[in-house]
């Protein structure tokens, strides 16, 4: 027999509902994996795919510091291909669309990088 | 030893997860253990609370930390010595949300004289508050990995937690506060002789475990870095009961996850149950209304009836008179006379 069972069971029900939040919240939600648009006809980037997946933000952050603070604007040369240390003149030469490349994963993972606080987002032309 | 064993235990857990993933047990560490841990956590938590609920409270025992309800012209402290349900609710609210009882913490010290002095000591309250709230922020923020689409409060929390905009990935303020607060709670146990004396391995283990979780998380986010999309596929899969492991996920993730699973399993069987216990403690959740409402001990045997003093005296009056004890009601004079006369009559 439990004393104050009404209050205790109510509390426990609230507790279980809160703990299992991700389980019931996702019900009916359309789980859509990010679909990243890859550049046509290009296979190589400045680093390998896995590195870019995990650490592109660190790379960009380093570039930002090198360019803005130290004025080191020299090109990054990887396997004979020149890449400019620049978001808009480097990365976005191949990955042309912010919406179809950057935002896909960033939205999925709730990341809001502050790149676009300073950079002007290139207009999407269709 | 009290510090070393829990420390080695946490290192051992890290090693287990690391080696386990190396030998290809990633699905066990990524899928089986999280589900098991959640079941043990919820089951154990409910079991513990129900066990507490079944325990009778023989006396009304609220701690009185202020003026109790008394004469109308004496001001009652409604929160620290509540006599109504509303007062109890207010008291519990401040206890749960602001750790009011820790705020009252005092430190006794002896100084020249020698004199004993009690001073206010707010450090424990401050760091406990920082610790619990940064932990809460981090747990809620993790919902970005478990829900798709995300509830509105996650991006809001993300924004404020990363408001310093330091580095990329952005530094979370809560991470720093959590690690700082856990370190404070640990150093407090080690440096203060009185606290060190009463500290047990069960006090150090959760601290090391939580520190381990925080540090592996920080390592994973800022230094080793992992494929967050692959991880979210797994974690959302866990939440939708259809987990799959795709892509390359570093072993640091499995170590982090295994430590969290350990915390969940350890939780219901340890001091960490103060999460449920704070609501269940009779010294906090009872109103101080002893003089208004009779508290009946649930242990009372219903077959034992109340026995008033007068009934008691009625039962034992003769023996009490014989022993010369004072009586409320003397023995009837009529009965006494014949008793005194009879033996003399017989003798005659």
């Amino acid at each position: 027999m439990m004393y104050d069972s009404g209050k205790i069971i109510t509390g426990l029900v609230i507790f279980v509902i809160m703990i299992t939040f991700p389980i019931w919240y996702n019900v009916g939600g359309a789980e859509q994996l990010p679909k990243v648009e890859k550049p046509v006809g290009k296979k190589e980037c400045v680093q390998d795919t896995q590195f870019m997946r995990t650490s592109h933000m660190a790379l960009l952050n380093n570039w930002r510091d090198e360019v803005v603070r130290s004025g080191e604007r020299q090109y990054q040369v990887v396997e004979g291909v020149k890449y400019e240390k620049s978001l808009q003149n480097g990365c976005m030469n191949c990955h042309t669309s912010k919406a179809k490349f950057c935002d896909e994963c960033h939205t999925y993972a709730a990341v809001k990088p502050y790149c676009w606080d300073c950079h002007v987002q290139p207009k999407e032309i269709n | 030893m009290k510090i070393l064993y829990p420390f080695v235990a946490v290192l051992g857990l890290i090693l287990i997860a690391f080696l386990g993933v190396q030998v290809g047990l990633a699905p066990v560490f990524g899928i089986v253990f999280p589900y098991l841990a959640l079941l043990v956590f919820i089951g154990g938590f409910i079991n513990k609370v129900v066990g507490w609920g079944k325990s009778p409270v023989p006396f009304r025992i609220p701690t009185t930390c202020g003026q109790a309800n008394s004469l109308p012209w004496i001001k009652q402290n409604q929160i620290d010595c509540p006599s109504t349900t509303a007062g109890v609710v207010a008291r519990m609210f401040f206890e749960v949300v602001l750790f009011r009882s820790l705020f009252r913490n005092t430190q006794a010290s002896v100084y020249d004289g020698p004199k004993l002095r009690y001073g206010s000591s707010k450090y424990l309250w401050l760091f406990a508050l920082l610790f619990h709230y940064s932990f809460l922020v981090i747990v809620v923020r993790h919902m970005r990995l478990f829900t798709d689409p995300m509830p509105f409060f996650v991006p809001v929390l993300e924004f404020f937690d990363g408001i310093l905009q330091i580095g990329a990935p952005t530094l979370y303020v809560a991470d720093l506060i959590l690690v700082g607060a856990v370190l404070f709670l640990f150093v407090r146990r080690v440096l203060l002789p009185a606290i060190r004396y009463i500290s047990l391995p069960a006090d150090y283990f959760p601290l090391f475990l939580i520190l381990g979780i925080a540090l592996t998380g920080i390592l994973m986010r800022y230094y080793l870095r992992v494929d967050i999309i692959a991880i979210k596929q797994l974690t959302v899969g866990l939440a939708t009961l259809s987990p799959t492991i795709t892509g390359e996920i570093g072993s640091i993730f499995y170590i982090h996850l295994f430590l969290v699973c350990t915390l969940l399993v350890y939780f219901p069987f340890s001091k960490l149950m103060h999460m449920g216990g704070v609501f269940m403690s009779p010294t906090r959740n009872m109103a101080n209304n002893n003089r208004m409402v009779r508290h009946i001990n649930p242990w009372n045997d219903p077959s034992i009836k109340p026995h008033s003093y007068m009934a008691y005296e009625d039962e034992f009056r003769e023996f009490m008179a014989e022993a010369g004890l004072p009586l409320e009601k003397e023995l009837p004079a009529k009965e006494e006379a014949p008793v005194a006369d009879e033996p003399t009559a017989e003798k005659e």
Side-chain angles (χ1 to χ4, degrees), chain B residues 57-344:
Chain B
V57 181
F59 309 107
R60 185 170 287 276
I61 49 167
T63 38
T64 53
C65 307
Q67 174 61 51
N69 184 24
S70 180
L71 298 167
W73 42 272
I74 298 176
K75 196 186 172 200
Q76 184 196 356
N77 190 331
Q78 304 250 6
I79 294 171
D80 289 325
C81 196
S83 56
T84 59
T85 307
V88 169
V89 170
R91 181 187 212 185
M92 288 301 289
F93 174 80
F94 286 119
E95 181 63 37
V96 171
V97 176
L98 295 174
F99 307 171
R100 192 176 173 88
S101 60
L102 280 186
F103 191 73
R104 248 196 306 273
N105 197 28
T106 53
Q107 173 92 51
S109 57
V110 179
Y111 68 106
D112 294 343
K115 286 179 179 171
L116 181 62
R117 176 175 58 190
Y118 292 96
S120 157
S121 174
K122 306 274 185 248
Y123 293 109
L124 180 61
W125 168 78
L126 178 68
F127 282 91
L129 209 59
L130 286 175
F131 167 77
H132 283 85
Y133 275 101
S134 56
F135 206 136
L136 177 68
V137 165
I138 290 171
V139 168
V140 174
R141 213 183 51 210
H142 271 71
M143 289 306 124
R144 83 184 174 106
L145 299 172
F146 288 94
T147 53
D148 182 31
M150 230 155 306
F152 69 96
F153 52 82
V154 174
V156 176
L157 209 56
E158 287 270 329
F159 172 77
F160 284 105
D161 208 0
I163 200 158
L164 295 183
Q165 293 198 336
I166 295 174
T170 317
L171 176 78
Y172 286 136
V173 183
D175 290 4
L176 287 186
I177 296 176
L178 181 77
V179 171
V182 173
L183 286 177
F184 172 87
L185 294 175
F186 171 68
V187 167
R188 168 181 165 270
R189 282 195 185 277
V190 176
L191 287 191
L192 300 184
I195 307 290
R196 186 171 58 216
Y197 184 73
I198 60 165
S199 293
L200 298 170
D203 294 311
Y204 290 110
F205 181 70
L207 284 177
F208 288 137
L209 191 60
I210 290 168
L211 191 63
I213 291 170
L215 291 181
T216 50
I218 288 170
L219 211 57
M220 172 160 58
R221 177 173 169 85
Y222 304 105
Y223 297 100
L224 298 179
R225 283 189 292 271
V226 286
D227 183 354
I228 205 77
I229 303 301
I231 285 175
K232 184 159 178 176
Q233 280 183 38
L234 168 59
T235 48
V236 168
L238 285 170
T240 52
L241 309 180
S242 54
T244 47
I245 296 178
T246 51
E248 286 177 45
I249 301 176
S251 43
I252 185 73
F253 168 77
Y254 292 105
I255 293 172
H256 182 71
L257 187 62
F258 186 57
L259 291 181
V260 174
C261 291
T262 310
L263 184 71
L264 287 177
V265 169
Y266 179 72
F267 201 99
F269 311 101
S270 68
K271 63 184 275 196
L272 301 175
M273 268 307 287
H274 67 267
M275 181 182 179
V278 67
F279 295 97
M280 303 291 288
S281 66
T283 54
R284 300 275 154 207
N285 67 17
M286 299 182 103
N288 184 15
N289 57 2
N290 282 304
R291 304 186 180 182
M292 292 164 258
V293 182
R294 186 174 172 214
H295 182 83
I296 293 169
N297 182 356
W299 288 342
N300 284 351
D301 184 345
S303 66
I304 299 173
K305 299 295 179 221
H307 198 201
S308 70
Y309 176 75
M310 283 318 289
Y312 170 87
E313 199 181 282
D314 285 345
E315 196 175 339
F316 296 108
R317 182 164 293 111
E318 286 167 38
F319 302 101
M320 290 171 79
E322 206 173 311
L325 293 173
L327 293 166
E328 290 289 318
K329 214 169 95 182
E330 294 300 327
L331 281 172
K334 268 191 259 170
E335 284 176 29
E336 212 166 328
V339 171
D341 289 349
E342 273 172 24
T344 47

Side-chain angles (χ1 to χ4, degrees), chain A residues 1-3 8 15 21-23 25-26 31-33 50 53-55 57-58 61 105 108-111 114 117, chain B residues 45 49 53-54 56 144 146-151 165 167-169 225-227 229 232-233 236 239-240 248 280 298:
Chain A
M1 201 206 48
M2 203 156 68
Y3 303 95
I8 293 174
F15 168 74
F21 171 77
I23 294 176
Y25 186 84
N26 279 321
E31 191 195 329
Q32 285 191 331
L33 293 177
Q50 190 61 23
R53 275 185 188 156
T54 63
S55 308
M57 68 302 274
N61 204 42
C105 292
Y108 181 68
V111 182
Y114 51 90
D117 288 6
Chain B
F45 197 104
V49 170
K54 284 179 177 170
R144 83 184 174 106
F146 288 94
T147 53
D148 182 31
M150 230 155 306
Q165 293 198 336
R225 283 189 292 271
V226 286
D227 183 354
I229 303 301
K232 184 159 178 176
Q233 280 183 38
V236 168
T240 52
E248 286 177 45
M280 303 291 288

Side-chain angles (χ1 to χ4, degrees), chain A residues 60-120:
Chain A
L60 287 171
N61 204 42
N62 278 343
W63 279 9
R64 194 267 316 264
D65 289 354
E66 285 165 11
V67 170
V68 177
R69 296 180 189 168
S70 319
E72 295 169 20
R73 288 181 177 274
Q74 80 275 29
Y75 293 94
Q76 194 98 0
V77 182
V78 181
E79 293 181 10
V81 186
K82 277 183 180 178
Y83 296 95
E84 193 175 340
K85 276 187 198 170
S86 164
L87 179 63
Q88 276 164 271
N89 300 326
C91 307
M92 298 197 78
N93 274 342
C94 309
H95 306 289
T96 48
S97 168
K98 170 179 177 280
K100 287 176 189 160
F101 188 73
C102 308
D103 291 349
E104 275 290 321
C105 292
H106 288 162
T107 309
Y108 181 68
V111 182
K112 270 194 183 161
Y114 51 90
C115 312
W116 311 101
D117 288 6
C118 308
H119 284 273
V120 180

